[in-house]
Amino acid sequence: EVQLVESGGGLVQPGGSLRLSCAASGFTFSSYEMNWVRQAPGKGLEWVSYISTSGNTRYADSVKGRFTISRDNAKSSLYLQMNSLRVEDTAFYYCARGIHAFGYWGQGTLVTVSS
Amino acid sequence: EIVMTQSPATVSVSPGERATLSCRASQSVSSNVAWYQQKPGQAPRHLIYDASTRATGIPARFSGSGSGTEFTLTISSLQSEDFAVYYCQQYNNWPPYTFGQGTKLEIK
């Protein structure tokens, strides 16, 4: 069974940093592209970042230069390093598997940016 | 950036009836559209890809259609578990992948 489990969310002040993790199991992690998608409380879905199997990355303009996606295939883990956090980055962050359509999602981790 | 616009924002349908949800792209996205279902407190669930192909394990009462700029998700004979928020997403021109704002399907 495919499982994606996010962790690392929490309360951080504006300008602060946070690193999210996504632990994958039930499939060959190294063979799949991965993404981060976020959802502000009560709002819609917003794609954040993508990483290919070979490590190529893409970002939404809203996070470019502040967020960094990475992966460790040996640990079957996906990461999102978030720096210079803003109040508008407050959201549930989901890791999602796939290129184009996202077939599997984790349960999400909440990031709250507030003073 | 391609803008995906869903209508209506909320639709009320009785159990056993058919629901039709619409999604419009700001420019042609060919058939590169996916649909997701999200229930309160849960992650999105993938329903449809390539506009009309059901994802693994999705019941046949869910069907997708359309190409270019107009897309439809149809749920025939609504079950109680189908009441949720539905999102469309385009992956024809990315980055960024873009989602519609969602349609809430509620019980009439």
Side-chain angles (χ1 to χ4, degrees):
Chain A
E1 179 192 4
V2 172
Q3 284 201 318
L4 298 169
V5 180
E6 301 93 338
S7 60
L11 175 63
V12 61
Q13 292 187 336
S17 298
L18 213 54
R19 189 195 195 206
L20 306 183
S21 299
C22 171
S25 61
F27 65 101
T28 304
F29 179 75
S30 59
S31 297
Y32 288 87
E33 295 87 351
M34 297 296 296
N35 299 267
W36 288 98
V37 178
R38 68 185 180 183
Q39 185 172 38
K43 302 298 184 182
L45 301 169
E46 179 188 16
W47 171 79
V48 172
S49 185
Y50 156 91
I51 188 166
S52 73
T53 56
S54 58
N56 293 320
T57 59
R58 299 288 187 273
Y59 298 93
D61 285 347
S62 58
V63 306
K64 199 173 295 183
R66 301 187 299 122
F67 290 11
T68 302
I69 190 172
S70 62
R71 64 190 299 161
D72 184 337
N73 290 335
K75 294 183 177 180
S76 295
S77 291
L78 177 72
Y79 305 101
L80 186 68
Q81 177 66 43
M82 304 186 295
N83 298 330
S84 302
L85 281 161
R86 304 168 180 168
V87 170
E88 55 265 33
D89 294 320
T90 294
F92 288 92
Y93 285 74
Y94 298 98
C95 62
R97 191 186 87 171
I99 183 169
H100 301 160
F102 307 142
Y104 292 92
W105 299 62
Q107 87 290 347
T109 188
L110 178 62
V111 172
T112 303
V113 185
S114 174
S115 54
Chain B
E1 174 176 322
I2 295 177
V3 177
M4 304 296 282
T5 302
Q6 292 186 242
S7 60
T10 303
V11 60
S12 301
V13 183
S14 301
E17 298 295 307
R18 174 191 300 254
T20 302
L21 284 61
S22 297
C23 176
R24 174 176 291 179
S26 60
Q27 64 187 75
S28 177
V29 294
S30 187
S31 296
N32 296 314
V33 166
W35 288 90
Y36 303 87
Q37 174 194 70
Q38 188 178 33
K39 297 178 181 180
Q42 296 186 16
R45 174 194 182 196
H46 182 212
L47 299 175
I48 299 283
Y49 64 96
D50 293 347
S52 61
T53 304
R54 279 188 302 277
T56 304
I58 300 304
R61 65 180 182 271
F62 291 90
S63 63
S65 63
S67 66
T69 62
E70 301 286 341
F71 300 89
T72 300
L73 175 69
T74 301
I75 312 169
S76 63
S77 190
L78 278 162
Q79 307 296 303
S80 57
E81 62 265 31
D82 299 334
F83 293 94
V85 178
Y86 291 83
Y87 294 95
C88 61
Q89 175 226 341
Q90 70 82 23
Y91 47 87
N92 190 65
N93 286 22
W94 71 282
Y97 294 116
T98 50
F99 293 88
Q101 80 281 16
T103 290
K104 182 179 181 181
L105 177 58
E106 62 177 29
I107 300 175
K108 186 174 183 179

